[in-house]
Amino acid sequence: MKKEILVTGASRGLGFCFVKRYLEEGNRVFAGYRNNAGGLKALKQEYGALLDLVVLDVADTASVEAAVGEIKELTNHLDIVINSAGIHSDTSFEILEITNLDDCSFVYNVNAVGPLRVAKAFLPLIRNGNAPKIINISSESGSITWSGRVKEFDYCMSKAALNMGSKLLSNYLKEDKISVLAVQPGWMRTDMGGPNADLDPYETAVKLEKLFQSIKDLDTPIFIDNEGQSIPW
Ligand SMILES: NC(=O)c1ccc[n+]([C@@H]2O[C@H](COP(=O)([O-])OP(=O)(O)OC[C@H]3O[C@@H](n4cnc5c(N)ncnc54)[C@H](OP(=O)(O)O)[C@@H]3O)[C@@H](O)[C@H]2O)c1
């Protein structure tokens, strides 16, 4: 059955590849972008009514609520919400003595609070979805058990917080039969991952789309890798 899907951070990187992949499969997609739609305009020309471009800044409640208003005019349900928007601060890769810790709160707002802001605002549409799923694109960098890094305080801490947010959301939404996942996509060649990364983001989107389809059990592990294997918190 064709699905209705919202993707945040859809202007580029993994979010853009999710939009492309779900459209190729004949689904209807709402693509959230901030101020630059990037390659989405070309997809709109190709897919027409199957794709709606919606301004959606996950760091800004008013922007998220405006996006809900816009999408409510177009559909009464969402089957999948993919929170792909994510950032590092400018000094994330600097050592502690140099990194600007004052940037941590903004990164936390985008990476950890953003997906919850989206889930909260879109909940009425998600509750109307068919076997609905909220997919938060997390990172193994948010695993405290696995952590070996000495930098990226802003990013790693925000992803650990996103994992907790995903667990709380999963607890809360179990009664509604809404699945919540926190997914480590793998190291991808995007603006964030850089040119030396292992994985192509489009191939990752193809793989993850199949993985999400295969997950039907609400009691499945929440924090998983791109094979669906559990990652320790
Ligand atoms: N790349 C990797 O190797 C890797 C590994 C593990 C996890 N991840 C996670 O995967 C997700 C996608 O990463 P990526 O590699 O595709 O990153 P990317 O290429 O840097 O793209 C980031 C996307 O997030 C959007 N974004 C940033 N701030 C936003 C905001 N406030 N509201 C809405 N959208 C916003 C950007 O929009 P603009 O174009 O407007 O800036 C862009 O579309 C992220 O959550 C990231 O943490 C990535």
Side-chain angles (χ1 to χ4, degrees):
M1 195 166 74
K2 298 306 174 195
K3 296 188 184 320
E4 307 231 351
I5 295 141
L6 168 66
V7 182
T8 74
S11 60
R12 53 197 169 92
L14 180 63
F16 177 80
C17 294
F18 273 128
V19 172
K20 186 167 166 18
R21 182 58 187 162
Y22 277 105
L23 287 169
E24 286 168 351
E25 295 285 290
N27 301 288
R28 183 173 189 197
V29 183
F30 303 94
Y33 71 100
R34 285 195 297 182
N35 31 41
N36 182 351
L40 291 170
K41 283 189 179 149
L43 285 184
K44 176 71 186 163
Q45 283 195 336
E46 194 176 346
Y47 289 96
L50 280 182
L51 175 62
D52 286 288
L53 311 191
V54 181
V55 173
L56 198 173
D57 182 337
V58 303
D60 177 357
T61 299
S63 170
V64 176
E65 285 174 357
V68 174
E70 211 176 308
I71 293 175
K72 267 189 178 161
E73 298 291 317
L74 302 167
T75 186
N76 66 358
H77 71 283
L78 287 172
D79 304 307
I80 302 179
V81 170
I82 301 181
N83 283 301
S84 190
I87 56 168
H88 281 83
S89 72
D90 289 345
T91 63
S92 186
F93 294 94
E94 303 289 355
I95 58 170
L96 180 65
E97 289 85 339
I98 295 175
T99 195
N100 182 357
L101 293 176
D102 290 339
D103 287 340
C104 283
S105 50
F106 184 67
V107 173
Y108 182 87
N109 190 27
V110 173
N111 292 2
V113 184
L116 294 185
R117 194 177 272 120
V118 168
K120 175 180 173 178
F122 283 93
L123 202 47
L125 290 179
I126 299 168
R127 281 198 168 110
N128 289 341
N130 180 29
K133 290 188 172 77
I134 298 171
I135 290 154
N136 297 329
I137 301 300
S138 184
S139 165
E140 47 73 34
S141 71
S143 166
I144 293 172
T145 307
W146 280 1
S147 179
R149 296 180 198 206
V150 297
K151 296 184 277 191
E152 297 178 76
F153 289 90
D154 57 336
Y155 186 75
C156 299
M157 290 166 65
S158 71
K159 291 295 187 179
L162 172 61
N163 291 344
M164 175 55 95
S166 303
K167 175 66 175 148
L168 294 171
L169 209 51
S170 169
N171 295 341
Y172 179 57
L173 297 177
K174 197 156 270 181
E175 260 184 26
D176 293 305
K177 302 204 181 325
I178 299 172
S179 299
V180 181
L181 300 172
V183 180
Q184 143 71 350
W187 187 27
M188 300 169 292
R189 291 184 292 277
T190 61
D191 291 339
M192 180 183 286
N196 299 323
D198 302 328
L199 303 173
D200 176 82
Y202 173 76
E203 286 168 13
T204 302
V206 170
K207 179 172 179 167
L208 289 177
E209 187 243 342
K210 280 202 197 101
L211 175 66
F212 302 155
Q213 265 195 60
S214 72
I215 294 177
K216 300 201 164 73
D217 180 358
L218 282 171
D219 291 320
T220 186
I222 293 168
F223 184 25
I224 55 172
D225 66 13
N226 61 20
E227 305 282 350
Q229 297 300 312
S230 175
I231 297 178
W233 299 110

PDB file of all heavy atoms in Angstrom, residues 21-41:
ATOM      1  N   ARG A  21      13.768   8.230  -2.834  1.00  0.00           N
ATOM      2  CA  ARG A  21      13.474   6.794  -2.797  1.00  0.00           C
ATOM      3  C   ARG A  21      11.976   6.525  -2.597  1.00  0.00           C
ATOM      4  O   ARG A  21      11.374   5.699  -3.294  1.00  0.00           O
ATOM      5  CB  ARG A  21      14.283   6.127  -1.672  1.00  0.00           C
ATOM      6  CG  ARG A  21      14.060   4.624  -1.619  1.00  0.00           C
ATOM      7  CD  ARG A  21      14.440   4.017  -2.952  1.00  0.00           C
ATOM      8  NE  ARG A  21      14.117   2.611  -3.042  1.00  0.00           N
ATOM      9  CZ  ARG A  21      14.023   1.943  -4.184  1.00  0.00           C
ATOM     10  NH1 ARG A  21      14.215   2.558  -5.331  1.00  0.00           N
ATOM     11  NH2 ARG A  21      13.737   0.664  -4.192  1.00  0.00           N
ATOM     12  N   TYR A  22      11.369   7.236  -1.637  1.00  0.00           N
ATOM     13  CA  TYR A  22       9.946   6.998  -1.383  1.00  0.00           C
ATOM     14  C   TYR A  22       9.094   7.423  -2.588  1.00  0.00           C
ATOM     15  O   TYR A  22       8.082   6.786  -2.891  1.00  0.00           O
ATOM     16  CB  TYR A  22       9.496   7.708  -0.099  1.00  0.00           C
ATOM     17  CG  TYR A  22       9.816   6.898   1.152  1.00  0.00           C
ATOM     18  CD1 TYR A  22      10.856   7.242   1.994  1.00  0.00           C
ATOM     19  CD2 TYR A  22       9.075   5.762   1.478  1.00  0.00           C
ATOM     20  CE1 TYR A  22      11.152   6.482   3.123  1.00  0.00           C
ATOM     21  CE2 TYR A  22       9.359   4.998   2.603  1.00  0.00           C
ATOM     22  CZ  TYR A  22      10.406   5.363   3.423  1.00  0.00           C
ATOM     23  OH  TYR A  22      10.691   4.605   4.528  1.00  0.00           O
ATOM     24  N   LEU A  23       9.531   8.465  -3.297  1.00  0.00           N
ATOM     25  CA  LEU A  23       8.802   8.864  -4.516  1.00  0.00           C
ATOM     26  C   LEU A  23       8.931   7.789  -5.593  1.00  0.00           C
ATOM     27  O   LEU A  23       7.957   7.438  -6.266  1.00  0.00           O
ATOM     28  CB  LEU A  23       9.337  10.198  -5.041  1.00  0.00           C
ATOM     29  CG  LEU A  23       8.946  11.437  -4.229  1.00  0.00           C
ATOM     30  CD1 LEU A  23       9.765  12.639  -4.685  1.00  0.00           C
ATOM     31  CD2 LEU A  23       7.443  11.724  -4.348  1.00  0.00           C
ATOM     32  N   GLU A  24      10.147   7.274  -5.770  1.00  0.00           N
ATOM     33  CA  GLU A  24      10.368   6.220  -6.772  1.00  0.00           C
ATOM     34  C   GLU A  24       9.456   5.019  -6.536  1.00  0.00           C
ATOM     35  O   GLU A  24       9.051   4.330  -7.468  1.00  0.00           O
ATOM     36  CB  GLU A  24      11.833   5.744  -6.729  1.00  0.00           C
ATOM     37  CG  GLU A  24      12.813   6.722  -7.320  1.00  0.00           C
ATOM     38  CD  GLU A  24      14.267   6.375  -7.001  1.00  0.00           C
ATOM     39  OE1 GLU A  24      14.521   5.466  -6.188  1.00  0.00           O
ATOM     40  OE2 GLU A  24      15.148   7.040  -7.562  1.00  0.00           O
ATOM     41  N   GLU A  25       9.154   4.794  -5.258  1.00  0.00           N
ATOM     42  CA  GLU A  25       8.298   3.650  -4.897  1.00  0.00           C
ATOM     43  C   GLU A  25       6.810   4.012  -4.990  1.00  0.00           C
ATOM     44  O   GLU A  25       5.955   3.224  -4.587  1.00  0.00           O
ATOM     45  CB  GLU A  25       8.626   3.198  -3.472  1.00  0.00           C
ATOM     46  CG  GLU A  25      10.031   2.646  -3.314  1.00  0.00           C
ATOM     47  CD  GLU A  25      10.180   1.250  -3.905  1.00  0.00           C
ATOM     48  OE1 GLU A  25       9.613   0.313  -3.340  1.00  0.00           O
ATOM     49  OE2 GLU A  25      10.842   1.116  -4.953  1.00  0.00           O
ATOM     50  N   GLY A  26       6.522   5.215  -5.467  1.00  0.00           N
ATOM     51  CA  GLY A  26       5.126   5.597  -5.710  1.00  0.00           C
ATOM     52  C   GLY A  26       4.394   6.182  -4.517  1.00  0.00           C
ATOM     53  O   GLY A  26       3.176   6.319  -4.523  1.00  0.00           O
ATOM     54  N   ASN A  27       5.147   6.518  -3.463  1.00  0.00           N
ATOM     55  CA  ASN A  27       4.513   7.078  -2.271  1.00  0.00           C
ATOM     56  C   ASN A  27       4.325   8.591  -2.403  1.00  0.00           C
ATOM     57  O   ASN A  27       4.884   9.216  -3.302  1.00  0.00           O
ATOM     58  CB  ASN A  27       5.402   6.788  -1.048  1.00  0.00           C
ATOM     59  CG  ASN A  27       5.604   5.306  -0.855  1.00  0.00           C
ATOM     60  OD1 ASN A  27       4.694   4.596  -0.454  1.00  0.00           O
ATOM     61  ND2 ASN A  27       6.805   4.819  -1.173  1.00  0.00           N
ATOM     62  N   ARG A  28       3.543   9.143  -1.478  1.00  0.00           N
ATOM     63  CA  ARG A  28       3.366  10.596  -1.437  1.00  0.00           C
ATOM     64  C   ARG A  28       4.274  11.165  -0.343  1.00  0.00           C
ATOM     65  O   ARG A  28       4.264  10.653   0.780  1.00  0.00           O
ATOM     66  CB  ARG A  28       1.915  10.927  -1.107  1.00  0.00           C
ATOM     67  CG  ARG A  28       1.663  12.410  -1.122  1.00  0.00           C
ATOM     68  CD  ARG A  28       0.215  12.734  -0.963  1.00  0.00           C
ATOM     69  NE  ARG A  28       0.021  14.149  -1.193  1.00  0.00           N
ATOM     70  CZ  ARG A  28      -1.057  14.806  -0.823  1.00  0.00           C
ATOM     71  NH1 ARG A  28      -2.045  14.180  -0.215  1.00  0.00           N
ATOM     72  NH2 ARG A  28      -1.178  16.092  -1.066  1.00  0.00           N
ATOM     73  N   VAL A  29       5.014  12.207  -0.686  1.00  0.00           N
ATOM     74  CA  VAL A  29       6.018  12.719   0.257  1.00  0.00           C
ATOM     75  C   VAL A  29       5.836  14.220   0.501  1.00  0.00           C
ATOM     76  O   VAL A  29       5.626  14.999  -0.432  1.00  0.00           O
ATOM     77  CB  VAL A  29       7.450  12.461  -0.277  1.00  0.00           C
ATOM     78  CG1 VAL A  29       8.489  12.933   0.732  1.00  0.00           C
ATOM     79  CG2 VAL A  29       7.660  10.970  -0.576  1.00  0.00           C
ATOM     80  N   PHE A  30       5.949  14.581   1.778  1.00  0.00           N
ATOM     81  CA  PHE A  30       6.018  15.976   2.196  1.00  0.00           C
ATOM     82  C   PHE A  30       7.464  16.219   2.618  1.00  0.00           C
ATOM     83  O   PHE A  30       7.949  15.570   3.556  1.00  0.00           O
ATOM     84  CB  PHE A  30       5.050  16.251   3.352  1.00  0.00           C
ATOM     85  CG  PHE A  30       3.640  15.902   2.993  1.00  0.00           C
ATOM     86  CD1 PHE A  30       3.115  14.647   3.295  1.00  0.00           C
ATOM     87  CD2 PHE A  30       2.851  16.804   2.305  1.00  0.00           C
ATOM     88  CE1 PHE A  30       1.812  14.304   2.928  1.00  0.00           C
ATOM     89  CE2 PHE A  30       1.550  16.479   1.926  1.00  0.00           C
ATOM     90  CZ  PHE A  30       1.030  15.218   2.235  1.00  0.00           C
ATOM     91  N   ALA A  31       8.147  17.088   1.895  1.00  0.00           N
ATOM     92  CA  ALA A  31       9.578  17.287   2.115  1.00  0.00           C
ATOM     93  C   ALA A  31       9.802  18.596   2.853  1.00  0.00           C
ATOM     94  O   ALA A  31       9.544  19.685   2.314  1.00  0.00           O
ATOM     95  CB  ALA A  31      10.317  17.300   0.776  1.00  0.00           C
ATOM     96  N   GLY A  32      10.292  18.497   4.092  1.00  0.00           N
ATOM     97  CA  GLY A  32      10.540  19.685   4.902  1.00  0.00           C
ATOM     98  C   GLY A  32      11.927  20.261   4.618  1.00  0.00           C
ATOM     99  O   GLY A  32      12.916  19.538   4.671  1.00  0.00           O
ATOM    100  N   TYR A  33      11.972  21.540   4.321  1.00  0.00           N
ATOM    101  CA  TYR A  33      13.265  22.198   4.097  1.00  0.00           C
ATOM    102  C   TYR A  33      13.243  23.548   4.817  1.00  0.00           C
ATOM    103  O   TYR A  33      12.178  24.049   5.164  1.00  0.00           O
ATOM    104  CB  TYR A  33      13.546  22.372   2.600  1.00  0.00           C
ATOM    105  CG  TYR A  33      12.684  23.409   1.921  1.00  0.00           C
ATOM    106  CD1 TYR A  33      13.167  24.681   1.667  1.00  0.00           C
ATOM    107  CD2 TYR A  33      11.367  23.107   1.569  1.00  0.00           C
ATOM    108  CE1 TYR A  33      12.369  25.644   1.055  1.00  0.00           C
ATOM    109  CE2 TYR A  33      10.566  24.069   0.966  1.00  0.00           C
ATOM    110  CZ  TYR A  33      11.074  25.335   0.710  1.00  0.00           C
ATOM    111  OH  TYR A  33      10.275  26.284   0.130  1.00  0.00           O
ATOM    112  N   ARG A  34      14.435  24.138   5.030  1.00  0.00           N
ATOM    113  CA  ARG A  34      14.485  25.419   5.756  1.00  0.00           C
ATOM    114  C   ARG A  34      14.321  26.591   4.806  1.00  0.00           C
ATOM    115  O   ARG A  34      13.244  27.112   4.644  1.00  0.00           O
ATOM    116  CB  ARG A  34      15.806  25.553   6.505  1.00  0.00           C
ATOM    117  CG  ARG A  34      15.848  24.703   7.724  1.00  0.00           C
ATOM    118  CD  ARG A  34      16.966  25.122   8.608  1.00  0.00           C
ATOM    119  NE  ARG A  34      18.266  24.943   7.962  1.00  0.00           N
ATOM    120  CZ  ARG A  34      19.423  25.204   8.542  1.00  0.00           C
ATOM    121  NH1 ARG A  34      19.433  25.677   9.759  1.00  0.00           N
ATOM    122  NH2 ARG A  34      20.553  24.989   7.923  1.00  0.00           N
ATOM    123  N   ASN A  35      15.414  27.021   4.163  1.00  0.00           N
ATOM    124  CA  ASN A  35      15.259  28.168   3.265  1.00  0.00           C
ATOM    125  C   ASN A  35      15.737  27.881   1.862  1.00  0.00           C
ATOM    126  O   ASN A  35      15.444  28.628   0.952  1.00  0.00           O
ATOM    127  CB  ASN A  35      15.974  29.407   3.847  1.00  0.00           C
ATOM    128  CG  ASN A  35      17.177  28.993   4.652  1.00  0.00           C
ATOM    129  OD1 ASN A  35      17.894  28.084   4.228  1.00  0.00           O
ATOM    130  ND2 ASN A  35      17.400  29.608   5.797  1.00  0.00           N
ATOM    131  N   ASN A  36      16.436  26.753   1.691  1.00  0.00           N
ATOM    132  CA  ASN A  36      16.922  26.418   0.353  1.00  0.00           C
ATOM    133  C   ASN A  36      16.422  25.012   0.010  1.00  0.00           C
ATOM    134  O   ASN A  36      16.828  24.041   0.658  1.00  0.00           O
ATOM    135  CB  ASN A  36      18.462  26.477   0.363  1.00  0.00           C
ATOM    136  CG  ASN A  36      19.036  26.183  -1.001  1.00  0.00           C
ATOM    137  OD1 ASN A  36      18.313  25.775  -1.926  1.00  0.00           O
ATOM    138  ND2 ASN A  36      20.329  26.365  -1.141  1.00  0.00           N
ATOM    139  N   ALA A  37      15.561  24.919  -0.972  1.00  0.00           N
ATOM    140  CA  ALA A  37      14.942  23.629  -1.294  1.00  0.00           C
ATOM    141  C   ALA A  37      15.918  22.684  -1.992  1.00  0.00           C
ATOM    142  O   ALA A  37      15.626  21.493  -2.152  1.00  0.00           O
ATOM    143  CB  ALA A  37      13.704  23.843  -2.154  1.00  0.00           C
ATOM    144  N   GLY A  38      17.084  23.210  -2.398  1.00  0.00           N
ATOM    145  CA  GLY A  38      18.102  22.360  -3.020  1.00  0.00           C
ATOM    146  C   GLY A  38      17.545  21.583  -4.214  1.00  0.00           C
ATOM    147  O   GLY A  38      16.793  22.122  -5.040  1.00  0.00           O
ATOM    148  N   GLY A  39      17.864  20.307  -4.279  1.00  0.00           N
ATOM    149  CA  GLY A  39      17.446  19.477  -5.411  1.00  0.00           C
ATOM    150  C   GLY A  39      15.968  19.104  -5.403  1.00  0.00           C
ATOM    151  O   GLY A  39      15.475  18.455  -6.330  1.00  0.00           O
ATOM    152  N   LEU A  40      15.254  19.530  -4.359  1.00  0.00           N
ATOM    153  CA  LEU A  40      13.838  19.135  -4.266  1.00  0.00           C
ATOM    154  C   LEU A  40      13.001  19.700  -5.414  1.00  0.00           C
ATOM    155  O   LEU A  40      12.007  19.096  -5.828  1.00  0.00           O
ATOM    156  CB  LEU A  40      13.251  19.607  -2.931  1.00  0.00           C
ATOM    157  CG  LEU A  40      13.769  18.890  -1.674  1.00  0.00           C
ATOM    158  CD1 LEU A  40      13.299  19.606  -0.416  1.00  0.00           C
ATOM    159  CD2 LEU A  40      13.302  17.432  -1.660  1.00  0.00           C
ATOM    160  N   LYS A  41      13.417  20.868  -5.933  1.00  0.00           N
ATOM    161  CA  LYS A  41      12.617  21.501  -6.998  1.00  0.00           C
ATOM    162  C   LYS A  41      12.608  20.627  -8.250  1.00  0.00           C
ATOM    163  O   LYS A  41      11.589  20.503  -8.929  1.00  0.00           O
ATOM    164  CB  LYS A  41      13.152  22.889  -7.310  1.00  0.00           C
ATOM    165  CG  LYS A  41      12.732  23.883  -6.246  1.00  0.00           C
ATOM    166  CD  LYS A  41      13.053  25.302  -6.642  1.00  0.00           C
ATOM    167  CE  LYS A  41      12.575  26.236  -5.533  1.00  0.00           C
ATOM    168  NZ  LYS A  41      13.397  27.422  -5.414  1.00  0.00           N
TER     169      LYS A  41
END
